[in-house]
Amino acid sequence: MNWDRLTTVEEMEAATNSLLENGKKVGADSWQQRVKNQTPHCGFGEAGTCCRICSMGPCRITPKSPRGICGCDVHGIVGRNFLRFVAGGAATHSDHGREIMHTLHQTKPDGSYQVKDPEKLLRIAKEWGVETEGKDIYDLAHEMAEIGLMEYGKPFGVQRFLQRAPEHTQKLWHEAGIEPRAIDREVATALHMTHMGNSSLPEALIRQSLRSGLSDGWGGSMMGTEFSDVMFGTPKPVDTTANIGVMEKDMVNIIVHGHDPSLSEMVVYYANDPEMIALAKSYGAKGINVAGVCCTANEVAMRHGIPMAGNFLSQENVVLTGACEAIVVDVQCIFPALGPLSKCFHTKFITTSPIARMPDSEFIQFSAESAGENAKAIVKMAVENFQNRNQDLVNIPNQVSKARVGYSVEAIVKVLDGVANTQVDELGTTKPLLECITSGVLRGAVAMVGCNNPKVRPDFAHIELMKKLLENDIILIVSGCSAQAAAKAGLMDPEVAKDYCGAGLKRVCELANIPPVLHMGSCVDISRMMILASQLSKDSGIPISQLPVVGCAPEWMSEKAVSIGNYVVATGIDTFLGVDPYSKGSDEVTALLQGEHGIKDWVEANYTVELDIEKLGDKMIERIEQKRAALGI
Ligand code: BF8
Ligand code: SF4
C-alpha cells in the first residue's frame, strides 16, 4: 500500500500484468490481446473519409476517387461523420439525464428515492420561474420533473439552463445560431442533416455539432447532474480510497459499473442492509464490499465515499482478481467482453438496463418503481455467489491510494471561501479562487476529463500531464476516468499530492485543506465545470474565453467525449485533445475546428490536437500564459 507516495504507472502496469497471468490460467481473453488483433486500424476510418450512410456506398475517398457516388466530397463526408459522432454522444448523455428526470418523478417521502437536497430543488425552481410558495416539496419535485422532461421535446424556445451562462456567452450563441432548442430535436436535426442528400457544407455541419453538444452540456447532462444532486445529495468533500486493492479478499465484492446513480445508490443501500450482511456472514464472508468502476464509481464515491476500483480500461481487471462476486452494470462504457470473461470465473455479470443488453449476462431489469426489490435481488445474488469463489484464483494486487473527492461547485466555493472569509450570497462566490489566479499564486486551471484509450498508454497521459501542470501552479478540476486515473495514482491525497505542486498551489492546498486535483464527478458532471466557468466569468467580469482556463481530454475514446468537447469549446474554453477526432481527412473541417478563423470566430475558442503528450502539456501552459498576458495579470 502506498500511503506516502504516488503509485506509478509502471507499478499499475505490473499489477495488470499479474492479473493477466491470472486470466491465462482460465483461458481469459483481454483488451490488450484484442488491440493486437485489431492493429493496424482502417486508415479511412481514422481519417473520417469513409461514408456508409447510404447503400450506394460505402464510399471511400482517395486521390483517385475524390467524391462519393452521390458526389459528396471529403469535407462533407468528414463533417457528417463528425456530426454523427457528436449526436451519438449527446443522445447518450441526455438520455441518462432523462432517466434521472423520470426517477425524480418517482420520488416519495417513504419510497426508494427521496428529495435529499430540497434547497437545490427550490433554487432551480426559482431559476425556472416555477412558483414554490406553500408547495409540498414532493409535489414540486414532480412538477419540476415534468418541466425538465419537456426540455427534451418542447416545440418552441431554447434550453432553460442557457440563462445560467454569462450574457456575453449567450450573445455569442445567439449570433452563431447555435442555442440548443429541445434536446431531442438537436439530435434528430443532426441525424436529419447527415442523411443522404442533405448537408455536405462543413460549416453547417460543424455549427450543428456545437449546437448538439450544447444540448447535452447545457441540457441533458446539466439536468442529469443537478437533479441527481437533488435526489442523492450535492457532493461534499469525503475521503475514500482508489485502485484495484480496494477489493477485499475476505468479503463479498460487488462492483458497480456504468453511469446512472439510480442503480448504484440502491445497491449501496442494500449492501448495508443488516439482513444482507448476516447472509454474507452465513456464507463465511466478513461482510459486503461495494466498489465502483467508471462514472458510477465517481457518483457513489462523491456521495458516499465508496472506493473506486478503477477506470475504463481497468474494468476487466476487477474480474481478473478472481474475487468479484458480481459486476453490476447499467449503461455506457461497459465492455461486452465482461460476459465471456465472467464465465472464466465465478463472477455474475448482471445487466440491468434495456439500453445495455449483452450476451452471457444475467438480466435483472431495474426500474425506479421497483428499485428496492431489484437492488435487493442483485445484492442477494452476489452474496450467494461467494460460496462459488475459487480461492486459488484470488489475486488482489496490493495497490490502494487515499483520495479526497466530492468537489461540486458548491463545495469548491465553500472550501475556498472558508480560506478567504469573504461574505457570500446564497450561491457563494468564486472571488477567492479568482484572487488566487489574478495574483499569480495560481497560474490558471485545467479541466482534465475523459476516458482511457489503448491508442495512448493508459492513465499515463492523464497522470503525467497532471504532474506537469501541478508543478506549474495550475490547479486541476477533473471528472470521469481522468479523475480515477488521478485517484489511483494518489494525486487526490492532499498529503501526497502537495509535494508535486509549485509553491503557490501548495500554499492554497494547505490553507484550504484540499488536494490540488479536485474530483468534480462523472462525465455528465462536466456540466458542473460549465457552471463554475460561468460563475468565474460573472464574478470577474471577464469573458470565459479570456480566463486562464483550458480543457483537456488526453485519452478520450467515446462519442460522449466528442459531444463534451463541443459544448466545452462552445462555452468558450479552448480544448486540447490527445487523440484525433477522425477529422484529419479534411483540411476544411480541421481548419474549422482547430484554425484561427473557424469556430473560434463564433465562440472564441477552438481545439488543439497534439498526440505528443509532452507537447500537449507545453501547449496548454503556453495558452494559459497567453491568456494571462492578454489580461495583464
Ligand atoms: O462517461 S470518461 S470511458 S466512463 S465516456 Fe466512459 Fe470515457 Fe470513462 Fe463515464 Ni466518460
Ligand atoms: Fe457514398 Fe454519398 Fe451514399 Fe455516402 S451518401 S455512401 S458518399 S453515395
Side-chain angles (χ1 to χ4, degrees):
M1 256 179 236
N2 301 335
W3 293 136
D4 52 357
R5 64 172 179 88
L6 290 192
T7 303
T8 65
V9 173
E10 288 73 18
E11 287 169 325
M12 292 192 224
E13 286 168 346
T16 297
N17 288 338
S18 92
L19 290 169
L20 290 171
E21 286 303 316
N22 220 27
K24 271 193 200 148
K25 291 183 201 159
V26 290
D29 188 16
S30 66
W31 66 258
Q32 288 85 348
Q33 183 53 46
R34 295 189 298 274
V35 168
K36 286 187 192 138
N37 301 347
Q38 286 292 342
T39 310
H41 295 282
C42 167
F44 294 99
E46 283 198 321
T49 54
C50 171
C51 181
R52 50 172 293 281
I53 62 174
C54 90
S55 77
M56 294 193 287
C59 297
R60 303 186 302 182
I61 301 303
T62 65
K64 234 180 71 205
S65 53
R67 288 181 186 268
I69 291 167
C70 65
C72 189
D73 67 9
V74 73
H75 312 296
I77 290 176
V78 170
R80 289 196 304 220
N81 285 337
F82 185 82
L83 176 52
R84 286 208 158 199
F85 225 103
V86 177
T92 303
H93 267 153
S94 299
D95 212 33
H96 167 162
R98 180 187 346 244
E99 284 300 320
I100 294 294
M101 300 314 282
H102 279 290
T103 307
L104 183 69
H105 202 250
Q106 293 291 326
T107 49
K108 289 188 195 79
D110 53 355
S112 294
Y113 300 103
Q114 287 137 17
V115 173
K116 294 229 178 91
D117 190 343
E119 287 81 34
K120 189 153 188 168
L121 180 64
L122 288 166
R123 212 163 73 208
I124 305 171
K126 274 190 209 136
E127 258 183 66
W128 284 6
V130 175
E131 183 55 60
T132 58
E133 214 39 54
K135 234 176 236 172
D136 175 78
I137 198 76
Y138 282 87
D139 289 341
L140 181 64
H142 303 156
E143 186 180 346
M144 291 292 283
E146 281 184 32
I147 298 171
L149 285 165
M150 286 305 292
E151 290 295 279
Y152 285 82
K154 63 185 183 186
F156 306 109
V158 297
Q159 286 296 296
R160 287 172 182 267
F161 275 140
L162 301 189
Q163 64 196 13
R164 290 180 158 188
E167 267 170 36
H168 177 75
T169 311
Q170 292 186 47
K171 189 160 161 268
L172 290 176
W173 290 339
H174 184 72
E175 284 168 3
I178 56 171
E179 293 160 301
R181 301 155 294 178
I183 299 163
D184 289 348
R185 182 170 184 190
E186 298 310 349
V187 174
T189 298
L191 293 181
H192 189 175
M193 282 177 80
T194 55
H195 185 276
M196 194 273 148
N198 284 315
S199 289
S200 52
L201 187 69
E203 191 238 285
L205 293 162
I206 299 305
R207 225 177 259 277
Q208 183 59 22
S209 299
L210 297 181
R211 198 177 204 180
S212 301
L214 285 169
S215 77
D216 165 359
W218 289 84
S221 274
M222 201 170 275
M223 279 200 270
T225 292
E226 294 292 73
F227 292 101
S228 289
D229 283 358
V230 166
M231 283 188 286
F232 309 124
T234 303
K236 297 197 250 313
V238 55
D239 286 333
T240 183
T241 50
N243 214 338
I244 193 73
V246 304
M247 294 184 69
E248 297 282 353
K249 187 161 75 35
D250 302 323
M251 295 173 95
V252 172
N253 288 300
I254 303 179
I255 299 294
V256 284
H257 172 16
H259 287 78
D260 185 340
S262 309
L263 169 70
S264 45
E265 284 279 331
M266 296 307 290
V267 170
V268 168
Y269 180 82
Y270 281 100
N272 283 315
D273 180 2
E275 187 191 327
M276 288 294 133
I277 295 172
L279 187 66
K281 289 188 173 157
S282 76
Y283 284 108
K286 286 197 176 143
I288 305 172
N289 178 42
V290 181
V293 167
C294 281
C295 281
T296 277
N298 294 321
E299 298 276 1
V300 285
M302 297 256 291
R303 297 200 178 89
H304 303 285
I306 295 292
M308 298 179 277
N311 50 5
F312 180 60
L313 286 181
S314 326
Q315 59 183 289
E316 294 180 0
N317 286 9
V318 293
V319 179
L320 288 168
T321 61
C324 175
E325 273 56 59
I327 181 158
V328 188
V329 304
D330 47 78
V331 291
Q332 305 167 22
C333 303
I334 300 147
F335 274 1
L338 292 176
L341 179 62
S342 64
K343 294 276 177 264
C344 295
F345 293 88
H346 72 302
T347 306
K348 298 268 183 206
F349 175 40
I350 304 173
T351 49
T352 60
S353 166
I355 299 285
R357 298 291 312 268
M358 292 185 203
D360 295 319
S361 70
E362 319 242 357
F363 183 60
I364 299 182
Q365 183 156 348
F366 187 85
S367 73
E369 295 86 342
S370 55
E373 210 180 295
N374 303 145
K376 200 167 175 182
I378 290 168
V379 172
K380 191 157 179 258
M381 189 186 269
V383 169
E384 287 171 346
N385 196 27
F386 184 74
Q387 58 188 328
N388 298 321
R389 188 195 283 188
N390 177 352
Q391 292 293 355
D392 295 339
L393 280 178
V394 173
N395 169 15
I396 304 176
N398 189 15
Q399 242 167 38
V400 192
S401 297
K402 291 183 191 168
R404 184 164 300 156
V405 302
Y407 292 97
S408 56
V409 175
E410 291 86 338
I412 292 179
V413 165
K414 198 159 172 219
V415 289
L416 289 171
D417 207 56
V419 177
N421 228 351
T422 41
Q423 285 293 315
V424 294
D425 62 17
E426 194 188 353
L427 275 169
T429 168
T430 58
K431 282 191 178 136
L433 182 56
L434 282 164
E435 273 161 30
C436 292
I437 292 174
T438 47
S439 65
V441 174
L442 300 182
R443 303 303 293 173
V446 171
M448 183 95 71
V449 304
C451 330
N452 301 127
N453 187 326
K455 286 182 178 165
V456 183
R457 187 177 170 191
D459 292 337
F460 186 78
H462 289 297
I463 294 168
E464 290 308 307
L465 282 171
M466 285 181 202
K467 279 161 53 185
K468 184 176 182 129
L469 295 165
L470 297 182
E471 232 171 74
N472 283 280
D473 288 316
I474 293 167
I475 194 165
L476 279 140
I477 294 168
V478 300
S479 70
C481 290
S482 183
Q484 289 159 346
K488 288 196 295 182
L491 285 167
M492 288 178 179
D493 179 342
E495 280 310 307
V496 170
K498 68 178 185 203
D499 294 334
Y500 291 82
C501 302
L505 178 56
K506 185 173 180 180
R507 204 159 68 240
V508 172
C509 290
E510 283 175 342
L511 279 171
N513 194 19
I514 53 170
V517 180
L518 298 173
H519 192 317
M520 218 180 210
S522 63
C523 286
V524 289
D525 292 339
I526 294 170
S527 58
R528 296 190 200 275
M529 297 180 182
M530 300 305 97
I531 296 169
L532 181 62
S534 298
Q535 206 56 43
L536 285 166
S537 169
K538 287 181 198 164
D539 287 346
S540 64
I542 301 168
I544 293 177
S545 60
Q546 292 175 29
L547 292 168
V549 173
V550 303
C552 179
E555 304 183 19
W556 75 271
M557 65 86 204
S558 70
E559 290 173 318
K560 287 183 290 173
V562 185
S563 175
I564 291 168
N566 277 275
Y567 74 72
V568 172
V569 167
T571 303
I573 301 173
D574 286 330
T575 296
F576 292 73
L577 305 177
V579 177
D580 186 77
Y582 296 160
S583 62
K584 65 181 179 210
S586 159
D587 53 6
E588 281 185 30
V589 172
T590 302
L592 277 166
L593 297 174
Q594 300 177 41
E596 282 306 306
H597 293 294
I599 56 176
K600 196 161 181 181
D601 282 340
W602 313 336
V603 293
E604 301 177 344
N606 67 5
Y607 286 102
T608 299
V609 180
E610 175 55 70
L611 310 193
D612 179 324
I613 293 305
E614 194 60 38
K615 285 192 195 142
L616 188 68
D618 292 338
K619 286 183 179 174
M620 282 194 276
I621 295 170
E622 198 182 299
R623 189 70 53 89
I624 284 174
E625 291 301 331
Q626 276 167 5
K627 287 181 193 266
R628 294 189 65 92
L631 286 172
I633 56 172

